[in-house]
């Protein structure tokens, strides 16, 4: 049996119960899963610290000390056990909150232990909470080399699956496999790029035999992981470019030219021009376009999309643009209708709230081709929606759509797939873009329309709300409008909704007497009500919009120049950036006020500092990647494997990724289908790694 099939349940020392916990907590089922549960840190257990040298900023350390005064203190919830550990240099308190029942039988006063843990500070004294204790005499072999520390959860610890136990399990795996871990890279490749064998690498990553081997083991495993991702994605790119035919948009016709020459509301930025040219080339060369358009909020992606749709129309095709929310679809519909009105284009809107009667007419008109452009939400994806000849699909805020949803648009034609342009305002760090979208062609609008003033972002505390309100009132007095945003996060919906409603009342109490009208939108409202409120704000009948993140995506009200974000510490970086992008759309100086509680975690603090420090979406995306890791970055949740990297880290391993990518391209260049004998293992591995994963990027 392969290591991918061997169930850890049957491994000695594991059993059904622990296996259940491992699966539940970490998704570990097989030997292979377990082998790829990589330590997050190594501790050099060859060094013993004198107690007097302990400081709270040290990592995990090891001391050799005797114990005295082991006792229980406190009652109820605060009940804990403490002991004093001492050596020649000084003493330190040890504290346990758990395992109080069995501790006294395991620790003896007067005995010498090898004690291992992280010094921290409490009541201005150094202590170590939940240290690991080993009888010094028996522990002497631990004294050499590294100890691997593994990610564990509370539940795992309760089932005696601490770091040490995990390490032991992995040790047993190596014992039972008897050195037989099949190699996953060809021999010539290992030699050429100076890589360790897989078996050696996995062994050393868990049981480092020397710092040098540990380093090499990490490098091999990271490299392999990134290499296969790149090989897979670049192979698909190559195939798409070779085999996927597309409609040819050969001419630039009246729609495009008239719009460009007569009705363009403002001159295009250079970046917009460049991107339109890239798209034109793509749609004219006989292959299917699959292009990602990245551009920071407010960079003018919609206009680019419109001009490309006109190009489709000029060549006799229909076009559609799909948005993730009804608000956004409505807004696109309104602004697009206005812009194309003089051109005599038939444009329609299809959303969840389109009435059945009307819907049937739309379906009919899409099929007979009398509708040229359709704007819509997910409603466009329904099977009943069929086109005469859909030439171009634009997907706005692509990360809001699921994989399967996007796939549906590929099949709206019977002959060829339409050209696809996906747009995102969530800037993606370069390393992430390479792994996520390496097979797409990417265009970037890296320039904002002229005359925009950078948004000023401020941080305040809740206790100063009054001051912030006063500031908002000053802006309103200048004729501007304001957003006040509350978090609404699904797990705590009820509380959040109450907060929102209380906030709404508070805003009313303050601003109504000043003569302003206040609108409110949140995700729990009926769509018609939501739209009505939204429209009031768009028409400046309301000057303040109290809202949840439903406004995060795309909404455009250039007269709104202030945004106050309540409980800003509860939002992620990319969400804050998206929200902030709702202001700063007009010529006025705009402000974003991040309001938080007084106590902030280190991470929240960094998020707030990032936001006040820069307006650059790419910089923010990089910070987000560093702070949270790729798996949590918005828009990457569906990417499965790519973001659940087991060993490599996209925030840190950019160089290695470049190298892996370059080598993958080299191999594909001479053997695009991996048919050569020397590359056969690559093909096998690609199948194995990617077989179970939905091929999500095929459908972007
Ligand atoms: P996003 O890229 O975030 O979707 P939009 O397409 O909504 O941005 O554009 C933001 C605003 O900028 C809109 O009001 C739009 O009319 C305006 N805009 C777009 N292109 C230009 C341009 N070249 N010059 C001036 N304003 C522009
Ligand atoms: Mg937009």
């Amino acid at each position: 049996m392969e290591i991918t099939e061997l169930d850890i349940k049957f491994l000695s020392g594991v059993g059904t119960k622990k296996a259940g916990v491992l699966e539940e907590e970490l998704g570990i089922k097989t030997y292979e899963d377990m082998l790829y549960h990589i330590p997050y840190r190594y501790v050099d257990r060859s060094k013993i610290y004198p107690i007097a040298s302990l400081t709270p900023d040290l990592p995990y350390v090891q001391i050799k000390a005797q114990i005295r005064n082991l006792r229980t203190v406190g009652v109820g919830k605060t009940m804990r056990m403490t002991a004093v550990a001492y050596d020649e240099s000084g003493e330190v308190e040890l504290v346990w909150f758990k395992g109080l029942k069995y501790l006294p039988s395991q620790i003896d006063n007067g005995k010498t232990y090898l004690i291992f843990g992280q010094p921290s500070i409490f009541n201005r004294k150094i202590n170590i909470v939940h240290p690991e204790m080993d009888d010094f005499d028996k522990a002497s072999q631990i004294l050499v080399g590294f100890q691997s520390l593994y990610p564990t959860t509370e539940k795992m610890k309760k089932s005696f699956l601490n770091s040490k136990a995990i390490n032991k399990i992995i040790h047993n795996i190596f014992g039972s496999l008897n050195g037989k871990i099949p190699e996953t890279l060809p021999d010539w490749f290992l030699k050429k790029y100076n890589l360790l064998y897989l078996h050696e690498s996995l062994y050393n990553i868990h049981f480092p035999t020397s710092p040098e081997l540990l380093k090499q083991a990490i490098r091999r495993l990271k490299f392999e992981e990134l290499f296969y991702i790149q090989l897979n994605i670049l192979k698909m790119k190559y195939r798409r470019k070779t085999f996927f035919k597309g409609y040819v948009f050969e001419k630039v016709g009246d729609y495009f030219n008239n719009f460009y020459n007569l009705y363009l509301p403002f001159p295009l930025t250079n970046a917009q021009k460049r991107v339109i040219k890239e798209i034109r080339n793509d749609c004219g060369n006989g292959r299917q376009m699959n292009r990602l358009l990245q551009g920071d909020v407010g960079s003018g992606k919609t206009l680019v999309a419109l001009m490309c749709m006109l190009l489709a129309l000029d060549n006799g095709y229909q076009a559609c643009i799909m948005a993730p929310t009804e608000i956004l679809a409505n807004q696109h519909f309104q602004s697009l209708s206005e812009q194309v009105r003089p051109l005599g284009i038939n444009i329609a809107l299809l959303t969840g709230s389109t009435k059945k009667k009307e819907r049937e007419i739309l379906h009919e008109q899409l099929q007979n081709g009398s509708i040229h452009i359709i704007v819509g939400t997910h409603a466009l994806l329904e099977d009943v929606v069929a086109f005469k000849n859909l030439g171009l699909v634009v997907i706005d805020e692509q990360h809001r759509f699921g994989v399967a949803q996007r796939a549906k648009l590929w099949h709206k034609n019977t002959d060829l797939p339409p050209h696809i342009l996906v747009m995102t305002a969530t800037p993606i760090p370069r390393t992430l873009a390479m792994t996520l979208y390496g097979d797409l062609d990417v265009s970037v609008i890296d320039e904002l329309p002229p005359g925009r003033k950078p948004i000023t972002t401020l941080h305040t505390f809740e206790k100063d709300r009054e001051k912030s309100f006063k500031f908002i009132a000053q802006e309103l007095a200048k004729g501007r409008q304001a957003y006040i945003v509350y978090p609404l996060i699904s797990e705590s919906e009820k509380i959040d909704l109450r907060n929102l409603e209380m906030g709404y009342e508070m805003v009313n109490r303050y601003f109504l007497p000043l003569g302003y009208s206040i609108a409110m939108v949140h995700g729990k409202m009926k769509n018609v009500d939501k739209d009505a409120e939204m429209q009031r704000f768009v028409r400046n009948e309301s000057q303040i919009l109290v809202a949840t993140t439903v406004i995060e995506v795309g909404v455009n009200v250039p007269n709104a120049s202030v945004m106050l974000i309540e409980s800003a510490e509860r939002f992620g970086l990319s969400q804050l950036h998206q929200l902030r992008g709702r202001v700063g759309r007009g010529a006025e100086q705009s402000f974003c006020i991040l309001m938080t509680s007084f106590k902030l975690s280190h991470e929240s603090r960094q998020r707030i500092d990032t936001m006040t420090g820069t307006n650059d979406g790419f910089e923010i995306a990089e910070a987000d990647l560093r702070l949270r890791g790729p798996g949590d970055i918005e828009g990457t949740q569906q990417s499965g494997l790519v973001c659940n990297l087991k060993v490599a880290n996209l925030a840190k391993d950019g160089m290695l990724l470049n190298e892996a990518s370059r080598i993958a391209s080299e191999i594909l260049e001479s053997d695009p289908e991996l048919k050569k004998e020397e590359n056969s293992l690559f093909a096998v591995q690609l199948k194995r790694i990617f077989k179970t994963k939905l091929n999500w990027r095929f459908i972007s």
Side-chain angles (χ1 to χ4, degrees):
M1 268 220 274
E2 283 201 51
I3 54 171
T4 47
E5 287 161 15
L6 288 164
D7 194 327
I8 42 161
K9 173 161 74 195
F10 304 116
L11 192 68
S12 72
V14 182
T16 326
K17 193 154 168 265
K18 282 183 185 169
V21 174
L22 281 169
E23 177 167 3
E24 224 171 274
E25 295 294 286
L26 300 172
I28 291 175
K29 279 186 272 196
T30 65
Y31 280 25
E32 187 188 42
D33 296 338
M34 197 73 236
L35 287 174
Y36 279 93
H37 187 57
I38 304 292
Y40 66 93
R41 187 192 287 143
Y42 300 88
V43 189
D44 185 352
R45 292 206 76 161
S46 60
K47 184 172 162 126
I48 291 178
Y49 282 74
I51 288 176
S53 73
L54 299 186
T55 57
D57 50 307
L58 281 172
Y60 280 74
V61 295
Q62 182 166 255
I63 58 177
K64 177 192 167 191
Q66 269 176 289
I67 296 296
R68 66 172 148 81
N69 214 5
L70 178 70
R71 64 196 179 111
T72 309
V73 290
V75 284
K77 275 201 165 154
T78 65
M79 188 147 94
R80 61 197 186 274
M81 277 189 107
T82 63
V84 175
Y86 60 99
D87 64 9
E88 305 85 68
S89 76
E91 57 181 59
V92 62
E93 190 177 48
L94 309 178
V95 186
W96 295 265
F97 297 98
K98 293 208 182 87
L100 305 189
K101 273 201 203 100
Y102 58 82
L103 265 173
S105 65
Q106 292 186 344
I107 295 169
D108 296 328
N109 282 322
K111 206 159 160 184
T112 303
Y113 288 90
L114 199 57
I115 300 167
F116 176 70
Q118 163 123 57
S120 56
I121 212 155
F122 183 72
N123 271 347
R124 272 181 269 157
K125 269 177 31 199
I126 302 264
N127 66 15
I128 300 178
V129 179
H130 285 192
E132 264 180 51
M133 311 279 290
D134 287 304
D135 188 333
F136 183 78
D137 299 325
K138 291 183 198 150
S140 46
Q141 90 267 28
I142 299 174
L143 261 174
V144 286
F146 291 86
Q147 186 181 1
S148 310
L149 298 185
Y150 295 88
T152 51
T153 63
E154 279 311 310
K155 203 157 168 202
M156 285 169 64
K157 282 183 202 142
K158 271 190 204 134
S159 307
F160 305 101
L161 284 164
N162 58 13
S163 203
K164 223 166 159 183
I166 299 276
N167 195 246
K168 185 88 191 8
I169 292 173
I170 294 170
H171 197 263
N172 290 345
I173 291 182
F174 275 99
S176 85
L177 288 176
N178 211 358
K180 284 196 226 77
I181 296 178
E183 182 52 59
T184 48
L185 289 169
D187 227 34
W188 67 264
F189 190 87
L190 296 174
K191 291 218 174 69
K192 183 165 177 191
Y193 298 108
N194 203 6
L195 300 166
L196 289 189
Y197 286 113
L198 180 61
H199 174 262
E200 225 181 339
S201 308
L202 283 172
Y203 188 82
N204 273 283
I205 210 159
H206 294 291
F207 312 100
T209 42
S210 77
E212 181 50 33
L213 276 173
L214 173 60
K215 218 165 89 190
Q216 285 192 43
I218 293 173
R219 175 165 174 269
R220 136 95 206 209
L221 293 172
K222 283 183 170 181
F223 183 82
E224 172 176 9
E225 193 169 36
L226 297 169
F227 170 77
Y228 275 118
I229 285 171
Q230 290 300 301
L231 193 67
N232 184 53
I233 202 165
L234 294 171
K235 184 161 171 273
M236 283 195 296
K237 180 172 187 167
Y238 178 87
R239 292 192 51 183
R240 182 171 59 77
K241 295 230 153 191
T242 319
F243 301 120
F244 283 21
K245 294 217 166 55
Y247 297 125
V248 182
F249 295 176
E250 53 196 353
K251 64 170 185 200
V252 178
D254 287 347
Y255 287 133
F256 188 99
N257 283 328
N258 285 342
F259 181 75
Y260 187 76
N261 294 323
L262 305 171
Y263 307 115
L264 200 61
F266 17 63
L268 296 176
T269 62
N270 286 327
Q272 284 171 319
K273 281 187 201 157
R274 188 188 68 238
V275 170
I276 290 170
K277 203 178 274 169
E278 284 167 354
I279 294 170
R280 251 178 62 189
N281 287 340
D282 255 15
C283 295
N285 62 16
R287 293 192 289 263
Q288 187 229 10
M289 173 176 79
N290 201 4
R291 188 170 277 276
L292 173 72
L293 174 54
Q294 281 200 63
D296 216 339
V297 280
S299 59
K301 293 185 291 296
T302 325
L303 191 56
V304 170
L306 171 60
M307 300 203 59
C308 296
M309 291 195 283
L310 295 179
L311 198 65
L313 269 51
D314 272 339
N315 288 276
Y317 295 99
Q318 294 166 295
C320 82
I321 176 164
M322 184 168 79
T325 64
E326 232 164 274
I327 293 181
L328 195 52
N330 275 319
Q331 190 162 332
H332 277 328
F333 176 66
Q334 265 151 32
S335 74
L336 292 173
S337 311
E338 231 161 81
Q339 296 186 64
V340 302
R341 189 170 300 136
L343 301 171
I345 285 171
N346 194 6
I347 180 167
L349 175 70
L350 177 64
T351 69
S353 9
T354 309
K355 298 268 168 351
K356 189 157 172 274
K357 250 301 179 8
E358 196 184 334
R359 199 182 273 244
E360 280 162 6
I361 299 172
L362 288 180
H363 290 165
E364 174 65 32
Q365 292 180 329
L366 282 171
Q367 272 189 44
N368 68 26
S370 57
I371 290 177
H372 302 113
I373 295 179
I374 181 112
V375 183
T377 54
H378 303 79
L380 289 173
L381 299 172
E382 286 170 20
D383 290 332
V384 288
V385 179
F387 293 80
K388 181 167 175 232
N389 58 357
L390 181 62
L392 172 68
V393 167
V394 180
I395 304 177
D396 197 14
E397 309 296 344
Q398 113 335 26
H399 62 276
R400 289 301 182 101
F401 291 98
V403 177
Q405 293 176 324
R406 282 183 271 154
K408 285 202 155 177
L409 286 167
W410 275 62
H411 303 294
K412 286 286 176 191
N413 295 330
T414 44
D415 53 348
L416 297 177
H419 294 299
I420 308 239
L421 179 67
V422 301
M423 308 201 291
T424 176
T426 309
I428 303 162
R430 201 188 48 85
T431 53
L432 201 54
M434 270 171 80
T435 45
L436 277 177
Y437 301 119
D439 66 327
L440 300 185
D441 297 301
V442 179
S443 291
V444 182
I445 305 187
D446 49 6
E447 180 186 359
L448 291 180
R452 298 265 171 83
K453 294 201 179 73
I455 302 162
T456 303
T457 302
L458 312 158
H459 173 213
T460 67
F461 294 112
E462 277 153 12
K463 62 180 177 46
D464 297 325
R465 183 178 283 104
E466 188 86 15
K467 267 192 216 154
S468 299
F469 278 11
K470 204 168 158 191
F471 178 80
I472 293 172
Q474 283 167 13
E475 287 296 298
L476 297 181
K478 296 182 204 159
R480 318 270 152 73
Q481 288 166 276
Y483 295 101
I484 300 180
V485 183
Y486 287 82
L488 189 67
I489 294 163
S490 48
E491 304 117 58
S492 50
E493 256 171 40
K494 277 205 182 108
I495 302 171
D496 282 343
L497 205 56
R498 214 174 49 233
N499 283 342
L500 175 77
E501 275 156 4
M502 275 163 52
Y504 179 64
E505 277 167 31
M506 193 157 61
V507 172
N508 271 294
R509 272 201 303 278
Y510 191 95
F511 291 96
L512 267 183
L514 301 177
Y516 298 113
S517 162
I518 296 112
M520 172 162 76
V521 292
H522 57 78
K524 289 263 128 78
M525 286 163 76
K526 284 213 195 83
N527 283 333
V528 274
D529 300 336
K530 207 157 61 183
D531 283 355
E533 286 290 279
M534 202 61 221
Q535 287 311 326
R536 286 209 303 146
F537 186 67
V538 171
R539 289 194 295 263
N540 199 359
E541 291 161 18
S542 302
Q543 289 69 46
I544 298 178
L545 182 68
V546 173
T548 59
T549 48
V550 292
I551 60 152
E552 174 192 341
V553 168
V555 172
N556 190 27
V557 181
N559 189 47
S561 67
V562 202
M563 173 173 283
L564 170 64
I565 302 179
E566 291 262 358
S567 306
E569 71 270 31
R570 289 182 52 194
F571 292 86
L573 261 179
S574 77
Q575 224 177 5
L576 288 172
H577 179 63
Q578 289 288 316
L579 281 168
R580 179 170 64 180
R582 301 307 110 213
V583 296
R585 305 190 140 232
E588 311 304 337
Q589 174 62 55
S590 289
F591 300 90
C592 176
I593 305 166
L594 304 174
M595 192 184 291
T596 68
S597 63
F598 197 63
K599 256 193 149 167
L600 286 179
S601 72
H602 179 64
E603 209 197 296
S604 307
R605 182 87 232 173
Q606 281 185 304
R607 283 203 297 268
I608 302 289
D609 288 349
T610 305
M611 288 300 294
T612 53
T614 180
N615 279 310
D616 182 329
F618 281 93
E619 224 175 280
I620 290 169
E622 295 281 353
D624 206 15
L625 183 60
R626 274 197 311 276
L627 283 174
R628 292 202 298 176
D632 290 322
I633 290 206
E634 196 160 346
T636 64
Q637 283 88 351
Q638 288 129 9
S639 46
L641 188 79
V642 171
C643 289
N644 291 323
L645 294 181
K646 289 174 184 140
V647 203
N649 176 339
L650 292 178
K652 292 184 192 147
D653 299 323
M655 298 275 274
L656 209 54
L657 175 66
N658 284 340
E659 197 185 338
S661 182
R662 182 180 52 79
I663 293 169
S665 310
E666 267 170 33
I667 289 169
L668 289 169
E669 232 153 73
S670 70
D671 185 16
E673 292 290 291
L674 301 176
K675 291 261 164 63
K676 289 187 189 165
E677 176 59 32
E678 70 199 55
N679 294 331
S680 60
L681 188 53
F682 294 142
V684 171
Q685 275 304 105
L686 282 188
K687 250 205 195 118
R688 204 173 80 85
I689 299 170
F690 295 96
K691 82 175 167 208
T692 50
K693 317 284 170 190
L694 175 60
N695 211 344
W696 60 276
R697 68 175 74 78
F698 194 48
I699 33 204
S700 291

